[in-house]
């Protein structure tokens, strides 16, 4: 960071001083620069340690670029203004240097500083670069620029490199979990007791979870489509990390004195928000499983759903359940009918006014919950990740096939004395309601595949249902009975 208590951008001398600082910041070593502020550098104008002056004139970024372009042209920088005690302070942000960046130099001669002079940021100044610094900049120029994370991950998956796949997955999960632990983004309680305000806050938090989870979903979609037994433990470990019960941060409501000790008053956490914290796990479960179904990678589907076990809850850590029991939408979204309705309302509302009307109706319990609203919400959330890959029609088929597999897995879990009370049915029942017979639906197509393949059915061969045809047959029987009931009763 460099401080300038005053700069007059109408003055050539001050324009040169600002340009020199920007050039010097852009000519830093990427590794050294990355140790602070992610590699960014800042020129702060109008303030110095112990001294607040402010800038004489607030100029927009375009005007400042025009004024500085005669001296600096190449480094990426931006400017923002911050008001401090009634005075405007300009903050120039210079983008972090990267491998492959060219060497930046002065454009136009100014006094003794000739055009082409290379400035480098020292400890507290921006002098011309030394011989060693020029060698560093030449080495930087010759380095390959960093490749996008998505490309690195795809290459690691395609090359069958589990060490790199695992490292990149862990880094993405850790980044997500660090953000999820931020009480400013994800508080443990609602800010208001007004029901409609709670629904607004619930919706905002869900949308933040969706944004945070997007990079992880893209990685799972890439990885789970490629059959590789060496990667299955990575998918299981990823889901276990996401499904682990983790309390939201405490909300401190005040202080009180207990005897001679000052104690904090901590508000109880809201179970609806704690359940919503599982939304990244639910989205990951669906995204990875849809991709696995598309790639016929049923080892990955097994790994995502049942390979890993996690504690059922924070209050009952000794009861361990499979990931699908924790990460299914029945945990994250179904604590109240109003919650899934709220998320779906944001998807169907044509504008803010309609959304407000829908939220009011939901808050007053005047809006009926349609069948499979959680599935409808998840279908729309994940559609941007898949529609461009496979087309909307094929995405719909894959989504239904995935929920059919979930239903069979849940029915099998029921038979193993797990926590489920009934099978999980999804949007595929909507498709079945439009056919004269269940056998003519997408679910019927899966049944036909099972009957034709028998013990050679690929999911069985991959170890799902314990590799047992008997367990699979029992699950099919149970899901078929429920599906027949629902397609006639609901529709």
């Amino acid at each position: 960071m460099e401080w300038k208590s005053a700069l007059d951008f109408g003055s050539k001398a001050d324009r040169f001083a600002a340009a020199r600082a920007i050039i010097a910041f852009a000519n830093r070593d990427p590794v050294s620069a990355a140790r602070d502020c992610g590699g960014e550098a800042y020129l702060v104008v109008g303030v110095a340690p112990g001294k607040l002056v402010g800038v004489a004139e607030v100029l927009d970024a375009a005007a400042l670029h025009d004024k500085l372009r005669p001296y600096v042209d190449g480094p990426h920088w931006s400017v923002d203004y911050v008001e401090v005690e009634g005075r405007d302070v300009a903050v120039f942000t210079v983008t972090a240097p990267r491998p492959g960046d060219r060497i930046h130099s002065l454009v136009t001669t100014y006094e003794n500083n000739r055009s082409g002079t290379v400035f480098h940021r020292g400890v507290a100044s921006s002098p011309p670069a030394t011989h060693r610094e020029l060698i560093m900049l030449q080495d930087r120029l010759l380095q390959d620029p960093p490749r996008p994370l998505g490309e690195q991950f795809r290459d690691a998956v395609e090359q069958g490199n589990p060490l790199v796949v695992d490292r990149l997955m862990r880094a993405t999960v850790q980044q997500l979990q660090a953000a999820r632990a931020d009480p400013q983004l994800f508080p443990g309680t609602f800010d208001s007791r007004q029901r409609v305000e709670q629904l607004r806050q619930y919706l905002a938090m869900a949308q933040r979870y969706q944004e945070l989870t997007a990079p992880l979903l893209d990685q799972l979609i890439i990885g789970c489509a490629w059959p590789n037994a060496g990667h299955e433990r990575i998918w299981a470990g990823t889901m276990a990390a996401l499904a682990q019960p983790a309390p939201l941060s405490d909300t401190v409501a005040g202080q009180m004195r207990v005897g001679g000790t000052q104690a904090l008053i901590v508000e109880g956490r809201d179970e609806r928000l704690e359940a919503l914290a599982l939304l990244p796990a639910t989205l990951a479960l669906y995204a990875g499983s849809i991709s696995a179904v598309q790639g016929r990678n049923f080892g990955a589907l097994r790994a995502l759903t049942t390979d890993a076990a996690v504690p059922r809850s924070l209050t009952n850590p000794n009861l361990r359940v499979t990931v699908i029991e924790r990460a299914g939408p029945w945990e994250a979204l179904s604590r109240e009918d109003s919650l899934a309705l709220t998320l779906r309302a944001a998807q169907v509302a044509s504008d803010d006014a309609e959304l407000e009307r829908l939220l009011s109706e939901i808050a007053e319990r005047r809006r009926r919950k349609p069948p499979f609203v959680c599935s409808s919400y998840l279908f729309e959330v994940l559609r941007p990740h898949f529609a461009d890959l496979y087309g909307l029609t094929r995405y719909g088929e894959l989504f239904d096939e995935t929920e059919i597999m979930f239903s069979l897995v849940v029915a099998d879990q029921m038979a193993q004395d797990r926590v489920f009370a009934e099978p999980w049915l999804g949007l595929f029942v909507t498709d079945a309601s439009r056919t004269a017979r269940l056998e003519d639906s997408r679910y019927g197509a899966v049944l036909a595949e099972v009957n034709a393949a028998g013990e050679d059915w690929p999911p069985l061969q991959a170890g799902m249902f314990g590799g047992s045809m008997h367990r699979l047959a029992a699950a099919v029987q149970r899901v078929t009975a429920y599906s027949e009931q629902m397609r006639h009763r609901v529709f």
Side-chain angles (χ1 to χ4, degrees), residues 186-227:
F186 303 106
T189 58
F190 288 107
D191 295 336
S192 171
R193 294 186 178 181
Q194 294 288 329
R195 186 164 174 78
V196 71
E197 291 297 330
Q198 290 182 352
L199 295 182
R200 290 193 190 102
Q201 184 175 355
Y202 183 88
L203 176 59
M205 288 178 64
Q207 290 171 339
R208 290 190 203 109
Y209 280 128
Q210 290 169 208
E211 294 169 4
L212 283 172
T213 313
L216 176 67
L217 302 187
D218 290 337
Q219 288 181 329
L220 285 169
I221 290 167
I222 292 170
C224 292
W226 287 76

Side-chain angles (χ1 to χ4, degrees), residues 81 105 120 183 214 252 300 417 439 463 491:
Y81 292 92
S105 62
H120 177 267
V252 179
D417 295 325
E439 291 83 353
F491 302 98

Side-chain angles (χ1 to χ4, degrees), residues 165-178:
V165 172
D166 190 32
R167 175 172 59 80
L168 294 176
M169 287 296 296
R170 285 177 182 272
T172 304
V173 170
Q174 288 169 0
Q175 187 175 16
L176 188 157
Q177 289 177 322

Side-chain angles (χ1 to χ4, degrees), residues 259-421:
T261 305
Q262 195 76 9
L264 298 177
I265 303 173
V266 179
E267 295 182 359
R269 302 184 185 95
D270 192 287
E271 67 172 13
R272 294 167 294 179
L273 297 183
E274 289 216 315
L276 184 63
L278 284 168
L279 182 57
T282 302
L283 294 172
L285 175 69
Y286 266 72
S289 296
I290 292 170
S291 186
V293 168
Q294 188 279 329
R296 311 298 287 172
N297 184 10
F298 296 107
L301 184 60
R302 186 203 67 243
L304 291 164
T305 54
T306 59
D307 271 9
V310 295
R312 179 74 179 86
S313 66
L314 287 168
T315 56
N316 196 354
N318 294 325
L319 174 60
R320 298 184 69 80
V321 297
T322 57
V323 161
I324 195 171
E325 294 176 72
R326 279 280 296 168
W330 47 85
E331 285 292 328
L333 305 175
S334 297
R335 293 301 174 98
E336 287 183 8
D337 287 353
S338 62
L339 303 180
L341 273 173
T342 296
L343 301 180
R344 186 71 178 124
Q347 294 174 333
V348 301
S350 58
D351 53 34
D352 291 343
E354 184 179 3
L355 177 58
E356 286 301 310
R357 178 180 63 78
L358 292 174
L359 291 180
S360 296
E361 291 179 3
I362 295 169
E364 296 166 8
R365 293 181 170 85
R366 292 189 289 114
R367 194 159 189 86
R368 183 180 176 184
K369 180 181 177 182
F372 312 119
V373 64
C374 293
S375 293
S376 298
Y377 159 73
L378 291 166
F379 180 90
E380 290 298 328
V381 168
L382 295 171
R383 181 167 65 170
H385 294 274
F386 286 98
D388 289 342
L389 291 174
Y390 309 122
L392 184 58
T393 299
R394 180 57 181 151
Y395 167 58
E397 294 170 353
L398 290 171
F399 190 92
D400 281 353
E401 290 173 26
T402 300
E403 288 204 314
I404 290 168
M405 294 302 301
F406 287 166
S407 296
L408 294 172
V409 169
V410 169
D412 181 56
Q413 296 281 292
M414 290 174 62
Q416 312 310 311
D417 295 325
R418 310 303 297 186
V419 299
F420 294 106

Side-chain angles (χ1 to χ4, degrees), residues 97-114:
R98 300 178 304 171
D101 280 358
R102 67 182 180 86
I103 302 171
H104 302 288
S105 62
L106 183 65
V107 177
T108 304
T109 297
Y110 176 77
E111 295 185 348
N112 295 329
N113 301 281
R114 298 181 62 82

